[in-house]
Short mmCIF file of all heavy atoms in Angstrom, two decimals:
data_model
loop_
_atom_site.label_atom_id
_atom_site.label_comp_id
_atom_site.label_asym_id
_atom_site.label_seq_id
_atom_site.Cartn_x
_atom_site.Cartn_y
_atom_site.Cartn_z
N VAL A 1 0.87 -1.18 0.00
CA VAL A 1 0.00 0.00 0.00
C VAL A 1 0.91 1.23 0.00
O VAL A 1 1.50 1.57 1.02
CB VAL A 1 -0.94 0.01 1.22
CG1 VAL A 1 -1.77 1.30 1.24
CG2 VAL A 1 -1.86 -1.20 1.20
N PHE A 2 1.00 1.90 -1.15
CA PHE A 2 1.92 3.04 -1.25
C PHE A 2 1.22 4.36 -0.97
O PHE A 2 1.88 5.39 -0.79
CB PHE A 2 2.58 3.07 -2.63
CG PHE A 2 1.61 3.22 -3.79
CD1 PHE A 2 1.21 4.47 -4.23
CD2 PHE A 2 1.11 2.10 -4.43
CE1 PHE A 2 0.33 4.61 -5.29
CE2 PHE A 2 0.23 2.22 -5.50
CZ PHE A 2 -0.17 3.49 -5.94
N HIS A 3 -0.12 4.33 -0.89
CA HIS A 3 -0.85 5.56 -0.55
C HIS A 3 -2.24 5.17 -0.05
O HIS A 3 -2.78 4.14 -0.45
CB HIS A 3 -0.97 6.48 -1.77
CG HIS A 3 -1.44 7.87 -1.43
ND1 HIS A 3 -0.64 8.80 -0.80
CD2 HIS A 3 -2.65 8.48 -1.59
CE1 HIS A 3 -1.32 9.92 -0.63
NE2 HIS A 3 -2.54 9.75 -1.08
N ALA A 4 -2.80 6.00 0.82
CA ALA A 4 -4.14 5.77 1.34
C ALA A 4 -4.84 7.11 1.52
O ALA A 4 -4.23 8.11 1.88
CB ALA A 4 -4.09 5.01 2.66
N ILE A 5 -6.14 7.12 1.26
CA ILE A 5 -6.99 8.29 1.47
C ILE A 5 -8.10 7.87 2.42
O ILE A 5 -8.76 6.85 2.19
CB ILE A 5 -7.60 8.79 0.16
CG1 ILE A 5 -6.51 9.17 -0.85
CG2 ILE A 5 -8.52 9.98 0.40
CD1 ILE A 5 -7.04 9.37 -2.25
N SER A 6 -8.32 8.62 3.48
CA SER A 6 -9.35 8.24 4.44
C SER A 6 -9.70 9.43 5.32
O SER A 6 -9.16 10.53 5.17
CB SER A 6 -8.84 7.09 5.32
OG SER A 6 -7.83 7.54 6.19
N ASN A 7 -10.63 9.16 6.27
CA ASN A 7 -10.95 10.18 7.27
C ASN A 7 -9.70 10.63 8.01
O ASN A 7 -9.61 11.78 8.46
CB ASN A 7 -11.94 9.63 8.29
CG ASN A 7 -13.16 9.00 7.68
OD1 ASN A 7 -13.07 7.90 7.16
ND2 ASN A 7 -14.29 9.67 7.74
N VAL A 8 -8.73 9.72 8.13
CA VAL A 8 -7.54 10.00 8.93
C VAL A 8 -6.70 11.12 8.33
O VAL A 8 -6.30 12.05 9.02
CB VAL A 8 -6.68 8.73 9.07
CG1 VAL A 8 -5.42 9.02 9.89
CG2 VAL A 8 -7.48 7.61 9.72
N ASN A 9 -6.44 11.04 7.02
CA ASN A 9 -5.51 11.99 6.42
C ASN A 9 -6.11 12.94 5.40
O ASN A 9 -5.44 13.85 4.92
CB ASN A 9 -4.33 11.24 5.76
CG ASN A 9 -4.79 10.28 4.66
OD1 ASN A 9 -5.91 10.38 4.15
ND2 ASN A 9 -3.93 9.35 4.31
N PHE A 10 -7.39 12.72 5.05
CA PHE A 10 -8.00 13.60 4.04
C PHE A 10 -9.26 14.29 4.52
O PHE A 10 -9.69 15.29 3.95
CB PHE A 10 -8.28 12.81 2.76
CG PHE A 10 -8.56 13.67 1.56
CD1 PHE A 10 -7.54 14.40 0.97
CD2 PHE A 10 -9.84 13.77 1.04
CE1 PHE A 10 -7.79 15.21 -0.12
CE2 PHE A 10 -10.11 14.57 -0.06
CZ PHE A 10 -9.08 15.29 -0.66
N GLY A 11 -9.86 13.77 5.55
CA GLY A 11 -11.05 14.41 6.11
C GLY A 11 -12.32 14.10 5.34
O GLY A 11 -12.43 13.06 4.69
N GLU A 12 -13.30 15.00 5.43
CA GLU A 12 -14.62 14.75 4.87
C GLU A 12 -14.85 15.44 3.53
O GLU A 12 -15.92 15.29 2.93
CB GLU A 12 -15.69 15.21 5.86
CG GLU A 12 -15.62 14.47 7.21
CD GLU A 12 -16.71 14.92 8.17
OE1 GLU A 12 -17.30 16.01 7.95
OE2 GLU A 12 -16.99 14.18 9.13
N LYS A 13 -13.89 16.19 3.04
CA LYS A 13 -14.08 16.98 1.83
C LYS A 13 -13.99 16.13 0.57
O LYS A 13 -13.44 15.04 0.57
CB LYS A 13 -13.01 18.08 1.76
CG LYS A 13 -11.57 17.58 1.77
CD LYS A 13 -10.59 18.74 1.82
CE LYS A 13 -9.15 18.24 1.82
NZ LYS A 13 -8.80 17.48 3.04
N ALA A 14 -14.55 16.68 -0.53
CA ALA A 14 -14.41 16.05 -1.83
C ALA A 14 -13.03 16.35 -2.39
O ALA A 14 -12.37 17.32 -1.96
CB ALA A 14 -15.49 16.55 -2.78
N GLY A 15 -12.58 15.55 -3.33
CA GLY A 15 -11.26 15.79 -3.90
C GLY A 15 -11.11 15.15 -5.26
O GLY A 15 -11.84 14.21 -5.61
N THR A 16 -10.19 15.68 -6.03
CA THR A 16 -9.88 15.12 -7.35
C THR A 16 -8.39 14.80 -7.38
O THR A 16 -7.56 15.66 -7.07
CB THR A 16 -10.23 16.10 -8.47
OG1 THR A 16 -11.60 16.50 -8.34
CG2 THR A 16 -10.04 15.44 -9.83
N PHE A 17 -8.06 13.56 -7.74
CA PHE A 17 -6.69 13.08 -7.67
C PHE A 17 -6.19 12.70 -9.07
O PHE A 17 -6.97 12.24 -9.91
CB PHE A 17 -6.60 11.85 -6.76
CG PHE A 17 -7.01 12.12 -5.34
CD1 PHE A 17 -8.35 12.15 -4.98
CD2 PHE A 17 -6.05 12.35 -4.36
CE1 PHE A 17 -8.73 12.40 -3.67
CE2 PHE A 17 -6.42 12.59 -3.04
CZ PHE A 17 -7.77 12.62 -2.70
N ILE A 18 -4.92 12.91 -9.31
CA ILE A 18 -4.29 12.44 -10.53
C ILE A 18 -3.32 11.32 -10.17
O ILE A 18 -2.42 11.50 -9.35
CB ILE A 18 -3.57 13.58 -11.29
CG1 ILE A 18 -2.90 13.02 -12.56
CG2 ILE A 18 -2.57 14.32 -10.41
CD1 ILE A 18 -2.38 14.10 -13.50
N LEU A 19 -3.57 10.14 -10.72
CA LEU A 19 -2.75 8.97 -10.45
C LEU A 19 -1.73 8.83 -11.56
O LEU A 19 -2.10 8.70 -12.74
CB LEU A 19 -3.62 7.71 -10.38
CG LEU A 19 -4.93 7.79 -9.57
CD1 LEU A 19 -5.64 6.46 -9.59
CD2 LEU A 19 -4.64 8.24 -8.16
N THR A 20 -0.46 8.87 -11.23
CA THR A 20 0.59 8.83 -12.23
C THR A 20 1.49 7.62 -12.01
O THR A 20 1.71 7.19 -10.88
CB THR A 20 1.44 10.12 -12.19
OG1 THR A 20 2.09 10.21 -10.91
CG2 THR A 20 0.57 11.35 -12.39
N GLY A 21 2.01 7.09 -13.11
CA GLY A 21 2.93 5.97 -13.02
C GLY A 21 4.30 6.42 -12.58
O GLY A 21 4.61 7.62 -12.57
N PRO A 22 5.19 5.49 -12.24
CA PRO A 22 6.52 5.85 -11.72
C PRO A 22 7.41 6.55 -12.75
O PRO A 22 8.33 7.27 -12.37
CB PRO A 22 7.11 4.50 -11.30
CG PRO A 22 6.34 3.48 -12.08
CD PRO A 22 4.97 4.03 -12.25
N SER A 23 7.15 6.36 -14.04
CA SER A 23 8.01 6.96 -15.07
C SER A 23 7.40 8.18 -15.73
O SER A 23 7.98 8.74 -16.67
CB SER A 23 8.34 5.91 -16.14
OG SER A 23 7.15 5.43 -16.76
N TRP A 24 6.24 8.62 -15.25
CA TRP A 24 5.57 9.77 -15.86
C TRP A 24 6.36 11.04 -15.59
O TRP A 24 6.74 11.32 -14.44
CB TRP A 24 4.15 9.90 -15.33
CG TRP A 24 3.33 10.95 -16.04
CD1 TRP A 24 2.91 10.91 -17.34
CD2 TRP A 24 2.81 12.16 -15.49
NE1 TRP A 24 2.16 12.02 -17.63
CE2 TRP A 24 2.08 12.80 -16.51
CE3 TRP A 24 2.88 12.75 -14.23
CZ2 TRP A 24 1.44 14.02 -16.32
CZ3 TRP A 24 2.24 13.96 -14.02
CH2 TRP A 24 1.53 14.58 -15.06
N LYS A 25 6.61 11.84 -16.62
CA LYS A 25 7.44 13.04 -16.50
C LYS A 25 6.64 14.33 -16.61
O LYS A 25 7.21 15.42 -16.59
CB LYS A 25 8.51 13.05 -17.61
CG LYS A 25 9.42 11.81 -17.62
CD LYS A 25 10.21 11.67 -16.33
CE LYS A 25 11.15 10.47 -16.40
NZ LYS A 25 11.89 10.27 -15.13
N GLY A 26 5.33 14.23 -16.74
CA GLY A 26 4.52 15.43 -16.90
C GLY A 26 4.39 16.23 -15.62
O GLY A 26 4.89 15.84 -14.55
N GLU A 27 3.70 17.33 -15.70
CA GLU A 27 3.46 18.19 -14.54
C GLU A 27 1.99 18.12 -14.16
O GLU A 27 1.11 18.38 -14.99
CB GLU A 27 3.85 19.64 -14.86
CG GLU A 27 3.76 20.56 -13.65
CD GLU A 27 4.30 21.96 -13.94
OE1 GLU A 27 5.01 22.12 -14.95
OE2 GLU A 27 4.01 22.88 -13.15
N ALA A 28 1.71 17.76 -12.94
CA ALA A 28 0.33 17.61 -12.48
C ALA A 28 -0.33 18.97 -12.33
O ALA A 28 0.30 19.92 -11.84
CB ALA A 28 0.30 16.86 -11.16
N PRO A 29 -1.58 19.11 -12.76
CA PRO A 29 -2.31 20.37 -12.54
C PRO A 29 -2.34 20.74 -11.06
O PRO A 29 -2.47 19.87 -10.20
CB PRO A 29 -3.72 20.05 -13.06
CG PRO A 29 -3.52 18.93 -14.04
CD PRO A 29 -2.38 18.12 -13.50
N LYS A 30 -2.20 22.01 -10.78
CA LYS A 30 -2.08 22.46 -9.39
C LYS A 30 -3.33 22.21 -8.57
O LYS A 30 -3.26 22.12 -7.34
CB LYS A 30 -1.72 23.95 -9.36
CG LYS A 30 -0.34 24.26 -9.94
CD LYS A 30 -0.02 25.73 -9.84
CE LYS A 30 1.37 26.02 -10.41
NZ LYS A 30 1.72 27.47 -10.34
N ASP A 31 -4.48 22.12 -9.21
CA ASP A 31 -5.72 21.94 -8.46
C ASP A 31 -6.04 20.46 -8.19
O ASP A 31 -7.08 20.13 -7.63
CB ASP A 31 -6.90 22.58 -9.20
CG ASP A 31 -7.06 22.02 -10.61
OD1 ASP A 31 -6.05 21.55 -11.17
OD2 ASP A 31 -8.18 22.07 -11.15
N LEU A 32 -5.13 19.56 -8.58
CA LEU A 32 -5.34 18.14 -8.36
C LEU A 32 -4.32 17.59 -7.35
O LEU A 32 -3.20 18.07 -7.28
CB LEU A 32 -5.20 17.35 -9.67
CG LEU A 32 -6.13 17.74 -10.81
CD1 LEU A 32 -5.89 16.83 -12.01
CD2 LEU A 32 -7.59 17.66 -10.39
N HIS A 33 -4.75 16.60 -6.58
CA HIS A 33 -3.86 15.94 -5.64
C HIS A 33 -3.14 14.81 -6.38
O HIS A 33 -3.79 13.91 -6.90
CB HIS A 33 -4.65 15.37 -4.46
CG HIS A 33 -5.47 16.38 -3.73
ND1 HIS A 33 -4.96 17.20 -2.75
CD2 HIS A 33 -6.79 16.70 -3.85
CE1 HIS A 33 -5.92 17.97 -2.28
NE2 HIS A 33 -7.04 17.70 -2.93
N GLN A 34 -1.81 14.85 -6.41
CA GLN A 34 -1.08 13.83 -7.15
C GLN A 34 -0.78 12.62 -6.27
O GLN A 34 -0.36 12.74 -5.13
CB GLN A 34 0.23 14.37 -7.71
CG GLN A 34 0.99 13.36 -8.57
CD GLN A 34 2.24 13.93 -9.21
OE1 GLN A 34 2.63 15.05 -8.91
NE2 GLN A 34 2.87 13.17 -10.10
#
């Protein structure tokens, strides 16, 4: 388990995440959680 999202670390808010592979070289949009 390399990452987890839950009440513990993210709270009750909505969110949008960008999931990237280990070799991805792009730049994640600032309004997204990488």
Side-chain angles (χ1 to χ4, degrees):
V1 176
F2 61 88
H3 192 74
I5 301 167
S6 70
N7 309 75
V8 179
N9 60 18
F10 195 71
E12 299 181 342
K13 59 185 180 295
T16 306
F17 299 81
I18 179 170
L19 315 181
T20 63
S23 60
W24 188 67
K25 303 299 183 182
E27 186 173 344
K30 294 182 179 180
D31 57 334
L32 302 182
H33 304 276
Q34 184 176 7

